[in-house]
């Protein structure tokens, strides 16, 4: 049994634990650089992928990696299913160019995509199956299915400008498109969970939601957003959005997710005030300004300050206010581990 993961599940559900956890979102923007390898090798060599992810557990023993053992290709998987043009690189995840920025083209041609056959999705599903067997003898598994969110996925195949303008100027045209994307995301998450021996939850990542007004969110996005979370009721539901968007926090409280990875630019106490008492917070050390460019001492102090802010809250999982950024030094993650270890010892 993976004791780290069992403890994370309790914390993510808001249950009382005897220690504060450190949870880090790690993926291919950071891992290949940390390991000193070509990004393409990380994607193509499953033995290398497995060894690196196993090594993270030993290198940072106080941290829970979220989702952990994650097969992902940057932003490319969901975009590829809708025909996004992928450009692969040796030193970073794939970049994506829109297939068409013509809204009317998508109004005519959009359809729900099948994760068993579309884009990179079937390759990832097969990788999940193969690695699930590889992990079983170690008492480990893949537990969290992941997808980019509704606006992020749509922006990659039609362009950010086309998407954002249509939310305001042509809601009747963009709404059926968002419905098809939502249907695809739900099917994609379901397909991943079915490949996992011990599935526990889902994580959705969508920073673009934070760039629209409260009115536009409630009118154009919230119904689709809630449909995803409601579909996975009973599972742990994690939402990553590190765009500063305090104006949306009060409406997020009823969205249906359980854990919120949010912007470091909003204090933990203010986020708690705005988002309510029930959602578990995942943050809140600055991922770039401190995680990448800070010293270990600065990272340690920032982590300690976060723990002090939330010591009476009971629903904080210490993390960066976002994923682990590219070029984050291992020594700065060590500083986070040191802070959580010493905090738990003293409290």
């Amino acid at each position: 049994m993976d004791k780290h993961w069992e403890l994370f599940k309790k914390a993510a559900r808001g249950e009382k634990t005897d220690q504060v956890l450190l949870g880090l979102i790690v993926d291919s923007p950071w891992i290949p650089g940390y390991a000193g390898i070509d990004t393409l090798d990380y994607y193509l060599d499953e033995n290398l992928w497995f060894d690196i992810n196993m090594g993270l557990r030993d290198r940072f023993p106080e941290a829970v990696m979220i989702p952990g053992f994650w097969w992902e290709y940057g932003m490319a998987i969901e975009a590829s299913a809708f025909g996004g043009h992928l450009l692969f690189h040796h030193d970073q995840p794939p970049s994506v160019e829109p297939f068409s920025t013509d809204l009317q083209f998508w109004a005519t041609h959009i359809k729900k995509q099948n994760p068993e056959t579309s884009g990179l999705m079937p390759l990832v599903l097969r990788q999940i199956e193969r690695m699930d067997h590889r992990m079983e003898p170690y008492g480990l598994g893949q537990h969290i299915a992941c997808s980019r969110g509704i606006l992020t996925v749509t922006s990659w195949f039609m362009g950010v400008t086309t998407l954002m303008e249509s939310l305001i100027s042509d809601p009747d045209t963009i709404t059926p498109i968002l419905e098809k994307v939502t249907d695809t995301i739900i099917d994609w998450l379901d397909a991943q969970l079915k490949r996992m021996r011990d599935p526990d939850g889902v994580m959705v990542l969508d920073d673009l939601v934070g760039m629209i007004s409260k009115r536009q969110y409630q009118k154009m996005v919230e119904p689709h957003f809630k449909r995803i979370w409601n579909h996975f009721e009973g599972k742990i539901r994690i939402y990553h959005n590190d765009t500063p968007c305090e104006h949306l926090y009060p409406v997020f409280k009823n969205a249906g997710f359980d854990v919120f990875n949010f912007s470091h630019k909003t204090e933990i106490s203010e986020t708690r005030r705005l988002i309510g008492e029930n959602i578990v917070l995942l943050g809140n050390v600055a991922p770039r300004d401190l995680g990448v460019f800070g010293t270990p001492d600065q990272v340690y102090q920032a982590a300690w300050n976060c723990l002090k802010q939330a010591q009476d809250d009971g629903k904080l999982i210490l993390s960066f206010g976002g994923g682990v950024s590219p070029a984050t030094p291992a020594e700065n993650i060590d500083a986070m581990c040191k802070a959580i270890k010493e905090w738990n010892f003293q409290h």
Side-chain angles (χ1 to χ4, degrees):
M1 179 183 292
D2 187 345
K3 294 181 179 179
H4 276 79
W5 191 255
E6 293 301 315
L7 198 57
F8 171 78
K9 286 196 296 183
K10 289 185 65 175
R13 291 180 175 131
E15 300 174 16
K16 188 179 175 82
T17 60
D18 59 0
Q19 58 185 287
V20 182
L21 289 181
L22 171 62
L24 300 174
I25 297 177
V26 293
D27 53 4
S28 64
W30 176 72
I31 291 178
Y34 155 78
I37 63 169
D38 190 304
T39 299
L40 298 184
D41 290 337
Y42 182 69
Y43 296 146
L44 291 171
D45 188 333
E46 65 180 29
N47 293 321
L48 187 60
W49 177 93
F50 181 79
D51 290 343
I52 291 171
N53 280 274
M54 286 290 285
L56 290 175
R57 296 169 52 84
D58 297 328
R59 179 67 176 80
F60 308 108
E62 284 78 25
V64 178
M65 302 302 166
I66 304 171
F69 293 96
W70 185 8
W71 276 114
E72 50 75 43
Y73 295 79
M75 299 285 184
I77 297 172
E78 298 83 11
S80 71
F82 288 95
H85 180 210
L86 307 183
L87 300 172
F88 282 85
H89 312 283
H90 292 280
D91 58 354
Q92 62 181 314
S95 50
V96 186
E97 295 179 349
F99 182 81
S100 172
T101 58
D102 181 355
L103 182 63
Q104 295 307 314
F105 170 87
W106 290 111
T108 302
H109 293 90
I110 192 70
K111 63 179 181 179
K112 183 176 78 167
Q113 299 300 310
N114 181 356
E116 305 291 343
T117 58
S118 298
L120 293 171
M121 289 179 174
L123 298 180
V124 173
L125 294 176
R126 184 58 179 154
Q127 287 169 323
I128 291 173
E129 290 174 333
R130 290 169 62 88
M131 286 300 103
D132 203 59
H133 293 293
R134 181 81 176 267
M135 294 175 196
E136 188 171 8
Y138 298 90
L140 303 174
Q142 299 159 105
H143 305 290
I144 299 291
C146 299
S147 178
R148 267 64 194 185
I150 306 157
L151 295 191
T152 294
V153 173
T154 306
S155 74
W156 284 119
F157 65 77
M158 73 163 53
V160 175
T161 300
T162 301
L163 168 64
M164 292 302 197
E165 288 179 349
S166 67
L167 290 172
I168 298 172
S169 63
D170 203 345
D172 291 339
T173 301
I174 194 64
T175 293
I177 296 172
L178 297 180
E179 289 173 350
K180 296 294 192 305
V181 173
T182 302
D183 291 340
T184 301
I185 290 172
I186 290 172
D187 287 353
W188 166 228
L189 292 169
D190 270 334
Q192 293 175 64
L193 292 174
K194 288 176 183 176
R195 264 74 176 188
M196 296 176 182
R197 184 173 10 95
D198 188 19
D200 291 313
V202 298
M203 181 166 72
V204 175
L205 307 95
D206 201 333
D207 299 335
L208 279 185
V209 171
M211 300 180 188
I212 61 177
S213 69
K214 179 180 175 181
R215 177 177 176 273
Q216 288 301 318
Y217 166 78
Q218 291 182 304
K219 179 182 178 182
M220 300 300 301
V221 176
E222 187 174 53
H224 314 296
F225 198 52
K226 283 188 171 183
R227 187 152 65 88
I228 294 173
W229 301 123
N230 290 341
H231 182 85
F232 296 101
E233 186 174 1
K235 299 289 187 184
I236 296 169
R237 297 162 295 184
I238 306 168
Y239 178 44
H240 160 89
N241 179 352
D242 58 3
T243 298
C245 55
E246 296 90 342
H247 63 290
L248 296 179
Y249 289 3
V251 290
F252 280 171
K253 70 173 66 175
N254 297 315
F257 55 83
D258 306 298
V259 180
F260 184 37
N261 182 225
F262 58 107
S263 170
H264 70 279
K265 294 186 177 180
T266 306
E267 294 287 342
I268 292 171
S269 58
E270 179 66 2
T271 301
R272 174 59 70 208
R273 184 184 73 82
L274 293 171
I275 208 165
E277 300 298 321
N278 294 325
I279 294 174
V280 175
L281 302 180
L282 179 65
N284 192 30
V285 175
R288 180 179 176 274
D289 295 348
L290 287 176
V292 177
F293 297 114
T295 66
D297 286 344
Q298 289 172 323
V299 173
Y300 175 91
Q301 190 59 56
W304 194 266
N305 290 341
C306 289
L307 293 165
K308 286 178 64 177
Q309 283 185 54
Q311 63 182 327
D312 297 324
D313 183 272
K315 291 187 177 180
L316 173 77
I317 299 172
L318 181 66
S319 187
F320 289 110
V324 176
S325 296
T328 298
E331 292 76 15
N332 284 354
I333 298 177
D334 289 336
M336 297 270 279
C337 292
K338 179 183 177 184
I340 203 76
K341 185 176 182 179
E342 293 182 357
W343 177 271
N344 285 324
F345 178 77
Q346 294 182 27
H347 295 79

